Amino acid sequence: MWLKALLLSFCRWCNSSFFGHGIRDSVWLFPFVEIFHLIGLGVLGGTLLVLNLRLLGLGFRGESASDLEKDVRPWMVGSLALMLGSGFLLFSTEAVKMYGNWAFRWKMIFLASAIVYTFTLYRKVVRSEEGRIATLWRVVVAILSVLLWTGVGLGGRAIAYVTTSASSISISAR
Ligand code: HEM
């Protein structure tokens, strides 16, 4: 209950902030910020695709997964930072609406899970020496990565199609 109240007051603060207002009241700022959200999406998706194809043994076999991870790491971390920053700005324009938007909520659940997973178990397996980790386990780890990040992307795409009812924005005693 207190968490819902805290989240809703944070959303109200974002909504009435100068950057939330500024982007919302501008004709071109929202699409401009969304361009960066989509560029980040492409680069992040690309780095994950390279690493997961390597883990699945379907590509990039000329290099070990850990060497590939070293090469793509700055792009992965940089694009993730771009997604989080641009996403927060997009969110701030309609934060209260996002509070009641079930697609946004699922997106954030998938996003938190995908980030924790990518920087813990996934990174451990990617950096492990070839042959030390069973091939089947590398395949499972790659498939879970694809599923988690696809969940984030689908949630992001669905946001615009979900209408937010007034009742979903209130703090009910349910
Ligand atoms: C790596 C992380 C992320 C990924 C992969 C992602 C993915 C996406 C995708 C695919 C879209 C739909 C773009 C379109 O079709 O126009 C989208 C839109 C959006 N995302 Fe993200 N996103 C991420 C992080 C975030 C974060 C952290 C937030 C907020 C805190 C956020 C808020 C939004 C909002 C508000 C929209 C716009 C929905 C609309 O069109 O009204 N995103 N995102």
Side-chain angles (χ1 to χ4, degrees), residues 69-137:
E69 193 267 341
K70 262 193 226 102
D71 292 345
V72 300
R73 192 185 308 153
W75 296 98
M76 182 195 270
V77 174
S79 57
L80 183 58
L82 183 63
M83 293 305 285
L84 298 178
S86 60
F88 177 71
L89 290 176
L90 296 175
F91 160 81
S92 68
T93 63
E94 43 189 14
V96 173
K97 245 175 80 185
M98 288 298 132
Y99 174 85
N101 186 313
W102 63 259
F104 180 77
R105 289 188 186 189
W106 276 106
K107 178 182 177 177
M108 290 300 113
I109 293 169
F110 272 101
L111 181 58
S113 318
I115 290 175
V116 171
Y117 174 73
T118 302
F119 291 97
T120 55
L121 178 65
Y122 182 80
R123 185 154 72 171
K124 191 163 176 284
V125 171
V126 168
R127 289 184 179 179
S128 65
E129 253 168 70
E130 200 90 26
R132 281 207 49 201
I133 300 251
T135 310
L136 179 63
W137 185 225

Side-chain angles (χ1 to χ4, degrees), residues 148-164:
L148 284 172
W149 286 108
T150 305
V152 180
L154 289 177
R157 186 72 278 244
I159 289 174
Y161 298 96
V162 171
T163 45
T164 306

